[in-house]
Amino acid sequence: MQEATELAITFAALGDPVRRAIVDRLAAGDATVSELAAPFPISLQAVSKHIKVLEAAGIVSRRREGQTRPVRLEPELLDRTAAWLHEHARRLEARYARLDAVLDDMKENR
Amino acid sequence: MQEATELAITFAALGDPVRRAIVDRLAAGDATVSELAAPFPISLQAVSKHIKVLEAAGIVSRRREGQTRPVRLEPELLDRTAAWLHEHARRLEARYARLDAVLDDMKENR
DNA sequence: CCTGTACTCAACCATTTGGTTGAACATCAA
DNA sequence: TTGATGTTCAACCAAATGGTTGAGTACAGG
């Protein structure tokens, strides 16, 4: 990473396998930092850093709850990112369909 | 990056602003390496490397056409990635909706 | 108040990444 | 064939990333 567009940050955040796994886990429900860290062979601090990256990207939010810091996945950004991807895919498919039509036409009238 | 799941690779590939811009450009139609490199202040070789990353991720494909190597955006992977994101967002929204319903219920019956 | 628990912050290190330049390869055009 | 054009390959470098450990902060419970 190095720049600042929202989508670039989102993708960069999801580009790390540990962070992707964290997001997967959070899709099932909120979790504390220790809970999120448990499955990984890395230190709690490292996981804490990953969560910070996800939070900076707007993918998760944290709140304080006693001495624990539950993390919640925020759907909104994921939705917008999905929309971006979907729009690209849609446009491409339409374009390729038109191309195929032209080619078929050429074949028929040959 | 460091691992191998398809999605992690896809996201990592799209996480770089230059590569995201390349994908944006390709959504409008195929382009050669030089054409893709033109808007950027970096060397042609650097752009060539970026395209290699996108190709390895399965986001684009290259063919030879004379001395030129046109790059094409492949919709399929983008679609699958969008589906992943959308599914997460959908599940979350459903979960939060249920939560809200429960909270409303508690409020009514207080 | 003191101790343990749950984190975060800071300094540091190794590896990866994104860039560079220079040389090589493939194709077209003369 | 020779030279120009388009692109890739290789070696190299600086900066960013992901990890570590050690110290600090915030709250809960005895």
Side-chain angles (χ1 to χ4, degrees), chain A residues 33-34 45 48 62 67-69:
Chain A
V33 178
S34 328
Q45 289 94 320
S48 181
R62 277 188 284 192
Q67 42 197 342
T68 210
R69 308 289 309 273

Side-chain angles (χ1 to χ4, degrees), chain A residues 59-76:
Chain A
I59 297 170
V60 306
S61 62
R62 277 188 284 192
R63 63 187 188 282
R64 174 167 279 294
E65 201 164 274
Q67 42 197 342
T68 210
R69 308 289 309 273
V71 182
R72 136 168 310 205
L73 192 51
E74 295 292 337
E76 202 222 329

